[in-house]
Amino acid sequence: MPFSHLWPWIGLGLAALLLTALAFGDLRGDRATPRTRDLAWLVWAATAAYLLHQFEEHGVDARGAAYAFRGELCGLVGYPDAAGCPVPKAFITAVNLPLVWLAGPGAALLARRWPALAVGYLGVPAVNAFVHLGPALAGGGYNPGLLTAVLLFLPLSFHVFRLALARPDLGWRVVVAAVAGGAAAHAVLMLSLKAHLAGEVGLAGLLAIQVINPALPLLTAFAAASCPPRAA
């Protein structure tokens, strides 16, 4: 099995390990804070949710189709026949692994010192949930990833945003920045893919963009937390 099809199964195993640690271990950044209010614990939970989401998209979806999201993506960029679609499988791998396998754990480990990074990370699943939900509500029906987006991404992201709004060191500026960063990250991956398909960006450049793209929502939220509000 090529790695492009193997990694979602590895991720499923990682999700099982992480869910076990969340349930029976202590992944909180602050031991004095309840788990469901601790941003580090919640980012670990979001990482586990994203691993499950990736499996629904690129492992086996709710209809039993394997590696189904690539076909959906091909249709979005004008190639309804997945067999003849030029979207590189390496692109899908490069989008997903840095975001969830690296940025998620990184944001969780740094959440206590820099809580804005935790909020910024949740901006990605928050936006991604609506990327899946919008087409479904518009009459497109089920798409690969919809189930986990609705059941996991929406409640987790809204809960984290609610906690952030109640904290004076975060507040609405960081929440807005997190959502804006998540939207920008989605825009970057789609625009870079279209540029690659148009021959304007090579494969190496396309993959490099995806590797650094997860930093965008984190840094956007961090910058919002670092800038003091203007005096009235």
Side-chain angles (χ1 to χ4, degrees):
M1 179 184 293
F3 185 70
S4 60
H5 289 253
L6 178 62
W7 70 259
W9 293 88
I10 299 174
L12 184 63
L14 293 174
L17 292 174
L18 187 49
L19 288 170
T20 301
L22 286 164
F24 301 106
D26 195 346
L27 297 181
R28 290 175 295 174
D30 182 358
R31 299 297 191 270
T33 303
R35 292 180 182 183
T36 57
R37 298 186 64 84
D38 181 79
L39 289 178
W41 190 92
L42 288 166
V43 175
W44 284 118
T47 302
Y50 228 127
L51 289 166
L52 295 173
H53 178 71
Q54 288 178 330
F55 186 79
E56 185 188 358
E57 286 187 323
H58 311 293
V60 179
D61 73 3
R63 297 172 297 193
Y67 203 67
F69 186 78
R70 181 173 177 272
E72 294 283 333
L73 180 60
C74 289
L76 286 175
V77 293
Y79 296 91
D81 180 12
C85 175
V87 173
K89 293 182 178 180
F91 165 77
I92 293 175
T93 304
V95 166
N96 283 275
L97 267 60
L99 171 63
V100 181
W101 295 24
L102 297 178
L109 292 171
L110 297 172
R112 184 175 184 182
R113 184 172 183 180
W114 292 302
L117 296 180
V119 183
Y121 184 71
L122 267 294
V124 181
V127 172
N128 189 265
F130 287 98
V131 169
H132 286 278
L133 189 58
L137 293 177
Y142 172 80
N143 56 77
L146 176 65
L147 189 64
T148 45
V150 172
L151 295 181
L152 301 178
F153 284 0
L154 285 179
L156 266 172
S157 57
F158 281 128
H159 177 59
V160 169
F161 293 162
R162 183 177 63 85
L163 293 176
L165 289 171
R167 290 180 51 155
D169 59 332
L170 298 172
W172 66 267
R173 290 180 300 116
V174 173
V175 172
V176 170
V179 175
H186 280 81
V188 166
L189 73 87
M190 286 302 298
L191 290 173
S192 61
L193 175 60
K194 290 182 178 180
H196 171 72
L197 296 176
E200 299 169 356
V201 175
L203 179 59
L206 175 68
L207 300 184
I209 290 170
Q210 312 321 311
V211 170
I212 64 175
N213 195 27
L216 182 57
L218 304 185
L219 295 178
T220 302
F222 182 80
S226 302
C227 295
R230 294 180 179 178

